[in-house]
Each structure stands twice: as structure tokens, then as C-alpha cells.
């Protein structure tokens, strides 16, 4: 699967749930391309904005969409990577800001 196919597939699944792709395609497509590469590398779509260790059980919290997405989008309007955003984020009706890392430190350092 390539990034364009992944985009089309995930868009159909995620938009009904209220999660939209960032409308800035210069930001969105490289993240999707990295997800495709990580799927080939690890066998799962590890978040490209975080360091995966290649062990599914250790990385399960950062398999896209990560477990932090819901809280991030609710609080900040976007996930950590800015791949998934709220409607307000794309419409610029909310302030765009950096999302802090929610992943516990012990998961980051291995």
C-alpha cells in the first residue's frame, strides 16, 4: 500500500469518528509515507514522530492511531504528529499549538 491509498482508506474510517487528516498535505503525506515504511519495517504502523523499538508489545501505544490521539485532539485540536486533527483545526477556528508528549518516559527510554 502506498501513502495515497492509505490516505483514502483511513479517511473513510476516521472521519466518521471525528478525526480528520491535517489539510496541509505538505505535512500529512510525509507522515503517511513514514507510516507505510514503518509497516514494511516493523509489520505495524508505528508512529513516525516517536522512536519505535520494533517490538509490537512495547510499541502498541504508538501504533497509529496511537492511544494518545483522542486526548490530544480533544485538548489541542491535533495529535502529537498533527496527522489527525479536529475540524476546527483545519478550519483555523482554534489556536494551533504544539502538543506535548504524553508517552511515559519509561516507554521512550529502553
Amino acid at each position: 500500500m502506498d501513502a495515497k491509498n492509505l490516505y483514502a482508506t483511513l479517511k473513510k474510517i476516521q472521519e466518521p469518528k471525528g478525526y480528520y487528516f491535517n489539510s496541509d498535505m505538505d505535512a500529512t503525506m510525509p507522515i503517511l509515507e513514514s507510516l507505510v515504511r514503518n509497516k514494511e519495517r516493523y509489520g505495524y504502523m508505528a508512529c513516525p514522530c516517536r522512536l519505535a523499538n520494533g517490538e509490537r508489545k512495547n510499541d502498541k501505544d504508538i501504533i497509529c492511531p496511537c492511544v494518545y490521539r483522542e486526548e490530544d485532539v480533544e485538548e489541542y485540536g491535533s495529535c502529537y504528529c498533527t496527522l489527525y486533527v479536529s475540524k476546527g483545526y483545519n478550519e483555523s477556528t482554534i489556536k494551533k499549538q504544539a502538543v506535548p508528549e504524553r508517552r511515559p518516559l519509561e516507554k521512550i527510554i529502553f
Side-chain angles (χ1 to χ4, degrees):
M1 179 174 289
D2 66 10
K4 288 180 183 179
N5 289 335
L6 182 60
Y7 177 90
T9 300
L10 293 177
K11 181 178 171 115
K12 288 182 219 173
I13 296 167
Q14 299 301 328
E15 281 192 1
K17 297 177 184 178
Y19 297 104
Y20 301 86
F21 283 123
N22 188 334
S23 59
D24 178 357
M25 287 298 132
D26 289 336
T28 298
M29 292 312 289
I31 295 170
L32 290 171
E33 289 165 2
S34 294
L35 285 171
V36 170
R37 272 195 303 278
N38 282 347
K39 172 80 171 160
E40 293 167 357
R41 179 182 300 149
Y42 302 122
Y44 52 91
M45 293 191 308
C47 173
C49 300
R50 295 178 166 107
L51 186 59
N53 75 0
E55 294 180 31
R56 187 180 194 97
K57 67 178 181 143
N58 294 329
D59 292 339
K60 67 181 179 179
D61 64 319
I62 61 167
I63 295 174
C64 190
C66 73
V67 300
Y68 312 105
R69 176 187 71 169
E70 183 177 347
E71 196 172 349
D72 287 348
V73 172
E74 185 176 315
E75 188 172 344
Y76 297 98
S78 75
C79 69
Y80 183 71
C81 296
T82 70
L83 176 64
Y84 287 108
V85 301
S86 66
K87 194 174 216 177
Y89 185 97
N90 274 340
E91 294 173 349
S92 297
T93 59
I94 63 169
K95 179 183 173 191
K96 294 179 181 177
Q97 55 189 318
V99 177
E101 176 64 271
R102 292 183 193 272
R103 193 172 199 213
L105 189 56
E106 62 271 10
K107 289 270 204 176
I108 297 170
I109 301 172
F110 33 82

